Coordinates of all heavy atoms in Angstrom, one line a residue:
K1 N -7.4 -10.9 -4.4 CA -7.0 -10.4 -5.7 C -6.3 -9.1 -5.5 O -6.5 -8.4 -4.5 CB -8.2 -10.1 -6.6 CG -9.0 -11.4 -7.1 CD -10.1 -11.1 -8.0 CE -10.9 -12.3 -8.4 NZ -10.0 -13.2 -9.2
V2 N -5.4 -8.7 -6.4 CA -4.7 -7.4 -6.4 C -5.4 -6.5 -7.4 O -5.5 -6.8 -8.5 CB -3.2 -7.6 -6.7 CG1 -2.5 -6.2 -6.6 CG2 -2.6 -8.6 -5.7
V3 N -5.8 -5.3 -6.9 CA -6.4 -4.3 -7.7 C -5.3 -3.2 -7.9 O -4.8 -2.6 -6.9 CB -7.7 -3.7 -7.2 CG1 -8.2 -2.6 -8.0 CG2 -8.7 -4.8 -7.1
Y4 N -5.0 -2.9 -9.1 CA -4.0 -1.8 -9.5 C -4.7 -0.6 -9.9 O -5.7 -0.6 -10.6 CB -3.1 -2.3 -10.6 CG -2.2 -3.5 -10.2 CD1 -2.6 -4.8 -10.6 CD2 -1.0 -3.3 -9.5 CE1 -1.8 -5.9 -10.2 CE2 -0.2 -4.4 -9.2 CZ -0.6 -5.7 -9.5 OH 0.1 -6.8 -9.2
L5 N -4.2 0.6 -9.4 CA -4.7 1.9 -9.8 C -3.7 2.6 -10.6 O -2.5 2.7 -10.2 CB -5.0 2.7 -8.5 CG -5.3 4.2 -8.7 CD1 -6.6 4.3 -9.4 CD2 -5.4 4.9 -7.3
R6 N -4.1 3.1 -11.8 CA -3.2 3.9 -12.6 C -3.9 5.3 -12.6 O -5.1 5.4 -12.9 CB -3.1 3.4 -14.0 CG -2.3 2.1 -14.1 CD -2.1 1.7 -15.6 NE -1.3 2.6 -16.3 CZ -1.4 3.0 -17.6 NH1 -2.4 2.5 -18.3 NH2 -0.5 3.8 -18.1
V7 N -3.1 6.3 -12.4 CA -3.6 7.7 -12.4 C -2.9 8.5 -13.5 O -1.7 8.6 -13.5 CB -3.5 8.4 -11.1 CG1 -4.0 9.8 -11.1 CG2 -4.2 7.6 -10.0
I8 N -3.7 9.1 -14.4 CA -3.1 10.0 -15.4 C -3.4 11.4 -15.0 O -4.6 11.8 -14.8 CB -3.7 9.7 -16.8 CG1 -3.6 8.2 -17.2 CG2 -3.0 10.5 -17.9 CD1 -2.2 7.7 -17.2
N9 N -2.4 12.2 -14.8 CA -2.6 13.6 -14.3 C -3.2 14.5 -15.4 O -3.2 14.2 -16.5 CB -1.4 14.1 -13.6 CG -0.2 14.3 -14.6 OD1 -0.4 14.6 -15.7 ND2 1.0 14.0 -14.1
P10 N -3.5 15.7 -15.0 CA -4.1 16.7 -15.9 C -3.2 17.0 -17.1 O -3.7 17.4 -18.2 CB -4.4 17.9 -15.1 CG -4.6 17.4 -13.7 CD -3.6 16.2 -13.6
T11 N -1.9 16.8 -17.0 CA -1.0 17.1 -18.1 C -0.8 15.9 -19.0 O -0.1 16.0 -20.0 CB 0.4 17.6 -17.6 OG1 1.0 16.5 -16.8 CG2 0.2 18.8 -16.6
G12 N -1.4 14.8 -18.7 CA -1.3 13.6 -19.5 C -0.2 12.7 -19.1 O 0.0 11.7 -19.8
G13 N 0.5 13.0 -18.0 CA 1.5 12.1 -17.6 C 1.0 11.1 -16.5 O 0.0 11.4 -15.8
Q14 N 1.7 10.0 -16.4 CA 1.2 9.0 -15.4 C 1.9 9.3 -14.1 O 3.1 9.6 -14.0 CB 1.5 7.6 -15.8 CG 1.0 6.6 -14.8 CD 1.3 5.1 -15.2 OE1 1.3 4.8 -16.4 NE2 1.4 4.3 -14.2
E15 N 1.1 9.2 -13.0 CA 1.6 9.4 -11.7 C 2.1 8.0 -11.1 O 1.4 7.1 -11.1 CB 0.5 9.9 -10.7 CG 0.0 11.3 -11.1 CD 1.0 12.4 -10.6 OE1 2.0 12.1 -10.0 OE2 0.8 13.6 -11.0
V16 N 3.4 8.0 -10.8 CA 4.0 6.7 -10.3 C 4.7 7.1 -9.0 O 5.6 7.9 -9.0 CB 5.0 6.1 -11.3 CG1 5.5 4.8 -10.7 CG2 4.3 5.8 -12.6
V17 N 4.3 6.5 -7.9 CA 4.9 6.9 -6.6 C 6.1 6.0 -6.2 O 6.8 6.3 -5.3 CB 3.8 6.8 -5.5 CG1 2.7 7.8 -5.7 CG2 3.2 5.4 -5.4
T18 N 6.3 4.9 -7.0 CA 7.4 4.1 -6.7 C 8.4 4.1 -7.9 O 8.0 4.6 -8.9 CB 7.0 2.6 -6.4 OG1 6.3 2.1 -7.5 CG2 6.2 2.5 -5.1
D19 N 9.6 3.5 -7.8 CA 10.4 3.5 -8.9 C 9.9 2.5 -10.0 O 9.0 1.7 -9.8 CB 11.9 3.2 -8.5 CG 12.0 1.7 -8.0 OD1 11.5 0.8 -8.6 OD2 12.7 1.6 -7.0
E20 N 10.5 2.6 -11.2 CA 10.0 1.8 -12.3 C 9.9 0.3 -12.1 O 8.9 -0.3 -12.5 CB 10.9 2.1 -13.6 CG 10.4 1.4 -14.8 CD 11.2 1.8 -16.0 OE1 12.1 2.7 -15.9 OE2 11.0 1.2 -17.1
N21 N 10.9 -0.3 -11.5 CA 10.9 -1.7 -11.3 C 9.9 -2.2 -10.3 O 9.2 -3.2 -10.5 CB 12.3 -2.2 -10.8 CG 13.4 -2.0 -11.9 OD1 13.1 -2.2 -13.0 ND2 14.6 -1.7 -11.4
D22 N 9.7 -1.4 -9.2 CA 8.7 -1.8 -8.2 C 7.3 -1.5 -8.6 O 6.3 -2.1 -8.0 CB 9.0 -1.0 -6.9 CG 10.3 -1.5 -6.2 OD1 10.7 -2.6 -6.6 OD2 10.8 -0.8 -5.4
S23 N 7.0 -0.7 -9.6 CA 5.7 -0.4 -10.0 C 5.1 -1.0 -11.2 O 4.1 -0.6 -11.8 CB 5.6 1.2 -10.1 OG 6.3 1.6 -11.2
K24 N 5.8 -2.1 -11.7 CA 5.4 -2.7 -12.9 C 4.3 -3.8 -12.7 O 4.4 -4.4 -11.7 CB 6.6 -3.4 -13.6 CG 7.5 -2.4 -14.4 CD 8.5 -3.2 -15.2 CE 9.3 -2.2 -16.1 NZ 10.4 -2.9 -16.9
F25 N 3.4 -3.9 -13.6 CA 2.5 -5.0 -13.6 C 2.0 -5.3 -15.0 O 2.3 -4.5 -15.9 CB 1.3 -4.7 -12.7 CG 0.3 -3.7 -13.3 CD1 -0.9 -4.2 -13.8 CD2 0.5 -2.4 -13.3 CE1 -1.9 -3.3 -14.4 CE2 -0.4 -1.5 -13.9 CZ -1.6 -1.9 -14.4
R26 N 1.3 -6.4 -15.2 CA 0.9 -6.8 -16.5 C -0.6 -6.5 -16.7 O -1.4 -6.9 -15.9 CB 1.1 -8.3 -16.7 CG 1.0 -8.8 -18.2 CD 2.1 -8.3 -19.0 NE 2.0 -8.9 -20.4 CZ 2.8 -8.5 -21.4 NH1 3.7 -7.6 -21.2 NH2 2.6 -9.0 -22.6
G27 N -0.9 -5.6 -17.7 CA -2.3 -5.3 -17.9 C -2.7 -5.1 -19.3 O -2.0 -4.5 -20.1
D28 N -3.8 -5.8 -19.7 CA -4.2 -5.8 -21.1 C -3.1 -6.2 -22.1 O -3.0 -5.6 -23.1 CB -4.8 -4.4 -21.5 CG -6.1 -4.1 -20.8 OD1 -6.8 -5.1 -20.3 OD2 -6.5 -2.9 -20.6
G29 N -2.3 -7.1 -21.7 CA -1.3 -7.6 -22.6 C 0.0 -6.7 -22.7 O 0.8 -6.9 -23.5
Q30 N 0.1 -5.7 -21.8 CA 1.2 -4.8 -21.8 C 1.9 -4.7 -20.4 O 1.3 -5.0 -19.4 CB 0.7 -3.4 -22.2 CG -0.1 -3.3 -23.5 CD -0.5 -1.9 -23.7 OE1 0.2 -1.0 -23.9 NE2 -1.9 -1.7 -23.6
D31 N 3.1 -4.3 -20.5 CA 3.8 -4.0 -19.2 C 3.5 -2.6 -18.8 O 3.9 -1.6 -19.6 CB 5.3 -4.2 -19.4 CG 5.7 -5.6 -19.5 OD1 5.1 -6.5 -18.8 OD2 6.7 -5.9 -20.2
L32 N 2.8 -2.4 -17.7 CA 2.4 -1.1 -17.3 C 2.9 -0.7 -15.9 O 3.5 -1.6 -15.3 CB 0.8 -1.0 -17.2 CG 0.1 -1.3 -18.5 CD1 -1.4 -1.4 -18.3 CD2 0.4 -0.3 -19.6
Q33 N 2.7 0.5 -15.5 CA 3.1 0.9 -14.2 C 1.9 1.4 -13.4 O 1.0 2.0 -14.0 CB 4.1 2.1 -14.2 CG 5.5 1.7 -14.7 CD 6.5 2.8 -14.7 OE1 6.5 3.6 -15.7 NE2 7.2 3.1 -13.6
F34 N 1.8 1.0 -12.1 CA 0.7 1.4 -11.3 C 1.1 2.6 -10.4 O 2.2 2.8 -10.1 CB 0.2 0.2 -10.5 CG 1.1 -0.3 -9.5 CD1 1.3 0.2 -8.2 CD2 1.9 -1.5 -9.8 CE1 2.2 -0.3 -7.3 CE2 2.8 -2.0 -8.9 CZ 3.0 -1.4 -7.7
T35 N 0.0 3.3 -10.1 CA 0.2 4.4 -9.2 C 0.1 4.0 -7.7 O 0.8 4.4 -6.8 CB -0.8 5.5 -9.5 OG1 -0.7 5.9 -10.8 CG2 -0.6 6.8 -8.6
A36 N -0.9 3.1 -7.5 CA -1.1 2.5 -6.2 C -1.8 1.1 -6.4 O -2.3 0.8 -7.5 CB -2.0 3.4 -5.3
K37 N -1.8 0.3 -5.4 CA -2.5 -1.0 -5.5 C -3.0 -1.4 -4.1 O -2.6 -0.8 -3.1 CB -1.5 -2.1 -6.0 CG -0.4 -2.4 -5.0 CD 0.5 -3.5 -5.6 CE 1.6 -3.8 -4.6 NZ 2.5 -5.0 -5.1
T38 N -4.0 -2.3 -4.1 CA -4.5 -2.8 -2.9 C -4.9 -4.3 -3.0 O -5.2 -4.7 -4.1 CB -5.8 -1.9 -2.5 OG1 -6.2 -2.3 -1.1 CG2 -6.9 -2.2 -3.4
N39 N -4.9 -5.0 -1.9 CA -5.4 -6.4 -1.9 C -6.8 -6.4 -1.5 O -7.2 -5.8 -0.5 CB -4.5 -7.2 -1.0 CG -3.1 -7.4 -1.5 OD1 -2.9 -7.7 -2.6 ND2 -2.2 -7.1 -0.6
I40 N -7.7 -7.1 -2.2 CA -9.1 -7.3 -1.8 C -9.4 -8.7 -1.7 O -8.8 -9.6 -2.3 CB -10.0 -6.6 -2.8 CG1 -10.0 -7.3 -4.2 CG2 -9.7 -5.1 -3.0 CD1 -11.1 -6.9 -5.1
N41 N -10.5 -9.0 -1.0 CA -11.0 -10.4 -0.9 C -12.3 -10.4 -1.7 O -13.4 -9.9 -1.2 CB -11.2 -10.8 0.5 CG -11.8 -12.2 0.6 OD1 -11.6 -13.0 -0.3 ND2 -12.5 -12.5 1.7
F42 N -12.3 -10.8 -2.9 CA -13.5 -10.8 -3.8 C -14.4 -12.0 -3.3 O -14.0 -13.1 -3.4 CB -13.1 -11.0 -5.3 CG -14.3 -11.1 -6.2 CD1 -15.2 -10.1 -6.3 CD2 -14.4 -12.3 -7.0 CE1 -16.3 -10.2 -7.1 CE2 -15.5 -12.4 -7.8 CZ -16.5 -11.4 -7.9
T43 N -15.6 -11.6 -2.9 CA -16.5 -12.6 -2.3 C -17.7 -12.8 -3.3 O -18.6 -13.6 -3.0 CB -17.1 -12.1 -1.0 OG1 -17.7 -10.9 -1.1 CG2 -15.9 -12.0 0.0
N44 N -17.8 -12.1 -4.4 CA -18.9 -12.2 -5.3 C -20.2 -11.8 -4.7 O -21.3 -12.3 -5.0 CB -19.0 -13.6 -5.9 CG -19.7 -13.6 -7.3 OD1 -19.7 -12.6 -8.0 ND2 -20.2 -14.7 -7.6
Q45 N -20.2 -10.9 -3.7 CA -21.4 -10.4 -3.1 C -21.8 -9.1 -3.7 O -21.0 -8.2 -3.8 CB -21.2 -10.3 -1.6 CG -21.0 -11.6 -0.9 CD -20.8 -11.4 0.6 OE1 -20.7 -10.3 1.2 NE2 -20.7 -12.6 1.3
K46 N -23.1 -8.9 -3.9 CA -23.6 -7.7 -4.5 C -23.4 -6.5 -3.6 O -23.6 -6.6 -2.4 CB -25.1 -7.9 -4.8 CG -25.8 -6.8 -5.5 CD -27.2 -7.0 -5.8 CE -27.9 -5.9 -6.6 NZ -29.3 -6.2 -6.8

């Protein structure tokens, strides 16, 4: 699975480390931008 991280800075702006096209993803029915992302292997282990 891909886990996306969005960071809102203290001034209320979103931190995006890549350009707009490369940082887009679909979340909660909206087109959003991520700050960082990582791939995980979800094993359903506690």
